[in-house]
Amino acid sequence: MPAPQDVPIRDESIRLGQFLKLANLIESGADAKAVIADGLVSVNGEEEVRRGRQLHEGDVVEIGGISVRVSR
């Protein structure tokens, strides 16, 4: 699998739903809710079902075989 692409954030942390949108992995917040609820998103290799999960620098989010890493 290719190395995750870095996606910079402005603050110390970001919520998972917001990050998916920032990284252009989904179209809208409603999409975030659906893909997360369906168990299609993992954080650091573990399925994540909380849209409000706080992500920090270095966290790796994966959806549909695409990996992105939170960077500052």
Side-chain angles (χ1 to χ4, degrees), residues 18-65:
Q18 291 176 312
F19 184 71
L20 290 174
K21 197 168 169 194
L22 176 69
N24 292 318
L25 296 174
I26 54 158
E27 293 288 318
S28 70
D31 291 342
K33 187 174 182 178
V35 297
I36 293 167
D38 288 346
L40 302 177
V41 178
S42 68
V43 177
N44 300 328
E46 295 184 12
E47 182 181 311
E48 182 55 71
V49 294
R50 297 169 296 164
R51 187 171 64 173
R53 157 103 185 237
Q54 292 292 323
L55 302 175
H56 300 90
E57 184 175 10
D59 283 340
V60 176
V61 175
E62 198 220 320
I63 179 173

